[in-house]
Amino acid sequence: MRTTAVRGSLAGLLLLWGLTRAALLLCVLKVIAFPGPDVTTDVSVIYRGWYDVLSSGTFPLEDVTWQYPPAAALAILSPGLLPFLEYATAFFALALVADLVTLALLLHGGRGAGRSTRGAWVWVVGVPLLGPTVYARYDVMVTAVAVAALLAAVRCPRLAGVLVGFGAVVKVWPALLLVGVRRWGAWVWAAVTGAGVAGVFAVLMPGAFAFLGFQRDRGTEVESLGALVFHVARHHGWEGQVLLNYGSVEFLGPYVGWVSTGALLLSGGALGWLVWWRVRAGRLASSGVADAAFVAVLLFTATSRVISPQYMVWLVGLAGVCLCFRGSRMGVPAVLVLGASLVTVLEFPVWFGHVVASDALGVALLVSRNGLLVAAAVVAGRVLWSATVPGRGSSVRAVARAAESPVSP
């Protein structure tokens, strides 16, 4: 009877995945009109233009919107694998494949003693909450690599290191996945892989690191936590502007530099806390590495001067990995991330005009979304600390579980 129930649950999961992903595809293919601005222009216009430049053997040296590490070129060039399809259609098809691969990884990761299919459910439910933006950005591809890396970290740290190193050269943030890993082998393999891939691009294609300058000069994006300062200030005489800048809609004007610097300081504080936690933490349970990675990415997402909607895909994927482990205590933060995902699709693209206008609806949406992210980061950080740091305020039972768990990566 239990086998029948498991099969029924799996069938329901796959059916829900199929229905929701079909809806997403119909949206990006414009069979169904999704409210708000067209999210597919990044693929059909920007990515397509980069494809032509990258195909010529160089990076977009004069395009300030190119703000990605060199291996991002692989994602932009990937539609070439399907030459029988138009570029945008091929990209959407590959995004669907990455989505399916992530689901398969989470289902596999949820098998066995001490594991759960909750992680797969988080992914199946969380992705459609973000709307068609998921398939119109390459972040879903990077998330598939990150999920594979975290699941590999339990039994094969070297493979995890290779995947993390590769992922970091595609979009930087996967470097945070190793925060809970103690085995030096994983760190060495990540460093060697990252340096090797970056080195190959640097030798073969001019402008591999031009993105660093473009990233440095970015301002405060209108959806970020710090942007709330200017959304309110606009109603009290602030003289700045909202403009398309470096590929995103940003605030430009007086004091923007101060707020951007404040965001960087907050991120630096988050890094300091993570280092302090790692020094103090005891041996981690099997779920501990995934929980730590989730917390790290949460902290850096919430404090970033840019919180683009597609960043939520990372958090949904990492939350899914955490909940593959029955011992994970990230259930509440995962639910908060799902709530933030739902609000995200409302602020972009549905009512993005209200966000840009800084009106009551736009500000309310940002306060809700960013508030949920901050709450998730705070709750997740407290849970991680109490579960892994021995001493006052720690959970004795959590530490005991960690001691009884398989060897920590």
Side-chain angles (χ1 to χ4, degrees):
M1 183 172 293
R2 183 177 179 181
T3 301
T4 302
V6 170
R7 288 177 178 173
S9 177
L10 178 60
L13 181 77
L14 295 176
L15 177 62
L16 181 60
W17 183 88
L19 292 174
T20 54
R21 276 41 178 193
L24 290 179
L25 277 179
L26 290 174
C27 288
V28 294
L29 293 174
K30 300 182 181 179
V31 176
I32 297 176
F34 200 82
D38 183 7
V39 301
T40 66
T41 55
D42 274 37
V43 176
S44 59
V45 178
I46 299 176
Y47 286 13
R48 184 65 181 82
W50 288 342
Y51 177 88
D52 291 336
V53 175
L54 292 167
S55 297
S56 70
T58 184
F59 284 92
L61 299 175
E62 305 301 325
D63 188 349
V64 297
T65 63
W66 176 262
Q67 298 167 13
Y68 309 106
L74 299 177
I76 304 303
L77 292 170
S78 63
L81 297 172
L82 304 175
F84 48 88
L85 293 177
E86 186 268 333
Y87 180 88
T89 303
F91 186 92
F92 302 145
L94 292 173
L96 174 68
V97 171
D99 181 354
L100 181 59
V101 168
T102 304
L103 174 61
L105 288 167
L106 292 171
L107 283 172
H108 180 75
R111 296 174 56 187
R115 301 299 184 96
S116 171
T117 59
R118 294 181 304 163
W121 278 103
V122 166
W123 181 255
V124 169
V125 172
V127 167
L129 290 180
L130 293 167
T133 303
V134 175
Y135 282 4
R137 306 291 188 273
Y138 80 86
D139 296 77
V140 66
M141 303 173 184
V142 185
T143 301
V145 176
V147 167
L150 271 186
L151 290 172
V154 176
R155 299 191 181 279
C156 191
R158 291 182 179 179
L159 175 60
V162 170
L163 292 171
V164 166
F166 175 73
V169 189
V170 177
K171 201 159 187 180
V172 179
W173 69 267
L176 295 169
L177 303 183
L178 291 181
V179 67
V181 177
R182 286 200 169 186
R183 291 189 181 180
W184 284 106
W187 289 83
V188 170
W189 277 97
V192 169
T193 301
V197 173
V200 168
F201 276 101
V203 170
L204 297 180
M205 297 177 66
F209 299 104
F211 77 98
L212 294 173
F214 301 152
Q215 275 285 357
R216 179 197 61 217
D217 297 333
R218 294 192 70 166
T220 295
E221 193 252 348
V222 295
E223 297 164 277
S224 66
L225 182 63
L228 288 170
V229 173
F230 300 112
H231 282 293
V232 174
R234 291 178 80 184
H235 296 280
H236 297 278
W238 181 66
E239 298 179 351
Q241 296 177 293
V242 178
L243 296 173
L244 183 64
N245 187 55
Y246 285 90
S248 65
V249 181
E250 299 180 353
F251 282 113
L252 299 175
Y255 310 112
V256 171
W258 291 14
V259 171
S260 295
T261 300
L264 292 174
L265 291 175
L266 282 176
S267 295
L271 177 60
W273 182 87
L274 286 168
V275 172
W276 180 236
W277 163 79
R278 199 65 194 95
V279 170
R280 295 287 308 280
R283 188 181 181 190
L284 299 183
S286 297
S287 60
V289 173
D291 289 353
F294 179 50
V295 170
V297 177
L298 253 177
L299 286 171
F300 278 90
T301 301
T303 59
S304 175
R305 56 183 171 166
V306 178
I307 307 181
S308 297
Q310 61 268 25
Y311 292 8
M312 298 301 300
V313 183
W314 317 342
L315 299 176
V316 172
L318 298 186
V321 177
C322 292
L323 296 192
C324 283
F325 300 92
R326 294 189 183 277
S328 174
R329 300 176 64 193
M330 293 296 159
V332 171
V335 171
L336 291 172
V337 165
L338 292 179
S341 299
L342 177 59
V343 181
T344 295
V345 77
L346 297 178
E347 62 93 356
F348 183 89
V350 178
W351 286 318
F352 191 59
H354 293 277
V355 172
V356 173
S358 301
D359 63 19
L361 176 58
V363 173
L365 288 170
L366 287 182
V367 169
S368 300
R369 195 282 298 275
N370 292 342
L372 286 167
L373 278 181
V374 171
V378 170
V379 172
R382 291 187 63 180
V383 167
L384 180 68
W385 186 279
S386 66
T388 57
V389 177
R392 181 178 298 179
S394 67
S395 169
V396 175
R397 283 182 297 178
V399 174
R401 282 200 304 269
E404 295 170 359
S405 69
V407 176
S408 175

